[in-house]
C-alpha cells in the first residue's frame, strides 16, 4: 500500500462528514499567504483555520510567475486584501546556487532539462524576502490597497520575524 492509497482511505472516512462543505471559495479573513512547501510551517503555525486564507506554496516561498498568477486571482476574483510572504530558516534552497543545484540534479537524472529555468536558490534570507516583496510591490496588477508584508519563519523557535523594506 502506497502513501497515496492511505490518503485515499483517509479521504473516504473524511467524506462521511465533509465538515468543510459549508465553506465558500472566498477566504473569510481576506488573506493570502505565499510560503515554502516546507512541512514545518502549517496553518496551525499561523493560527489559521480552513476557509480563512489562500495558502500558496512552492519551494522557497518565491514570487514566481505562477505564484503571482495565484495572488492576482486571489485578490481580483476572490477578494483577498492582505498578502503575507513567508520564507523560513533552514530552507532547502538556501546555501546553494542555481549552478550547483542544477548540476547536482542533472548528475542524478543523467540528463539536462530546459524547464524549470530557475530554482530561485538564495543565500541571504532577509534579502530574499525583500526581493519577493519588491516583485509584488512593483507589479502593476498588485494594487496599493493590498497590504503586502514579508516574514522569516524560524523553524527552531516557531516564531515569525517581520522583514521591513530597505
Ligand atoms: Zn523551504
Amino acid at each position: 500500500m502506497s502513501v497515496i492509497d492511505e490518503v485515499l482511505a483517509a479521504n473516504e472516512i473524511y467524506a462521511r462528514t465533509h465538515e468543510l462543505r459549508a465553506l465558500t471559495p472566498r477566504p473569510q479573513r481576506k488573506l493570502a499567504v505565499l510560503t515554502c512547501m516546507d512541512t514545518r510551517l502549517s496553518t496551525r503555525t499561523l493560527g489559521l483555520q480552513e476557509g480563512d486564507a489562500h495558502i500558496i506554496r512552492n519551494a522557497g516561498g518565491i514570487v514566481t510567475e505562477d505564484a503571482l498568477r495565484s495572488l492576482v486571482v486571489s485578490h481580483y476574483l476572490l477578494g483577498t486584501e492582505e498578502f503575507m510572504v513567508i520564507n523560513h530558516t533552514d530552507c532547502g534552497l538556501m546555501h546553494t546556487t542555481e549552478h550547483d543545484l542544477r548540476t547536482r540534479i542533472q548528475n542524478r537524472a543523467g540528463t539536462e532539462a530546459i524547464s524549470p529555468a530557475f530554482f530561485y536558490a538564495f543565500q541571504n534570507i532577509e534579502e530574499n524576502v525583500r526581493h519577493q516583496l519588491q516583485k509584488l510591490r512593483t507589479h502593476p496588477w498588485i494594487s496599493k490597497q493590498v497590504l503586502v508584508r514579508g516574514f522569516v519563519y524560524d523553524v527552531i523557535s516557531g516564531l515569525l520575524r517581520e522583514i521591513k523594506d530597505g
Side-chain angles (χ1 to χ4, degrees):
M1 194 168 171
S2 73
V3 176
I4 294 175
D5 289 322
E6 293 169 9
V7 168
L8 290 176
N11 171 251
E12 259 179 53
I13 294 165
Y14 165 77
R16 288 175 200 159
T17 51
H18 189 17
E19 300 98 349
L20 302 182
R21 186 203 304 265
L23 295 177
T24 79
R26 298 175 80 83
Q28 227 149 43
R29 295 173 74 183
K30 302 186 177 185
L31 173 71
V33 179
L34 171 63
T35 190
C36 186
M37 62 190 185
D38 195 279
T39 57
R40 293 165 289 183
L41 189 148
S42 77
T43 48
R44 195 149 55 103
T45 315
L46 305 174
L48 294 170
Q49 306 295 318
E50 287 95 347
D52 280 351
H54 280 145
I55 313 289
I56 298 149
R57 307 189 78 155
N58 60 29
I62 307 294
V63 179
T64 59
E65 173 78 17
D66 195 63
L68 198 53
R69 182 180 68 86
S70 297
L71 288 169
V72 165
V73 168
S74 177
H75 174 64
Y76 284 93
L77 272 63
L78 296 162
T80 54
E81 293 169 357
E82 297 183 40
F83 291 171
M84 195 172 183
V85 178
I86 307 173
N87 287 185
H88 68 96
T89 58
D90 193 36
C91 188
L93 287 181
M94 274 178 85
H95 312 301
T96 182
T97 64
E98 289 290 320
H99 180 75
D100 282 356
L101 204 49
R102 186 163 289 274
T103 305
R104 221 188 311 165
I105 293 167
Q106 268 173 20
N107 287 344
R108 276 193 56 189
T111 181
E112 288 184 35
I114 293 164
S115 178
F118 299 105
F119 286 98
Y120 300 94
F122 61 92
Q123 276 79 49
N124 183 318
I125 196 166
E126 284 87 3
E127 217 171 79
N128 197 58
V129 171
R130 281 194 199 99
H131 188 49
Q132 308 318 310
L133 294 177
Q134 195 182 19
K135 282 194 263 183
L136 290 175
R137 290 190 174 131
T138 57
H139 198 282
W141 284 357
I142 308 292
S143 89
K144 298 287 168 258
Q145 273 72 56
V146 177
L147 184 62
V148 178
R149 292 169 67 179
F151 300 85
V152 169
Y153 172 67
D154 185 321
V155 296
I156 302 296
S157 70
L159 285 170
L160 291 169
R161 176 165 59 89
E162 183 152 17
I163 303 299
K164 300 281 190 185
D165 289 285

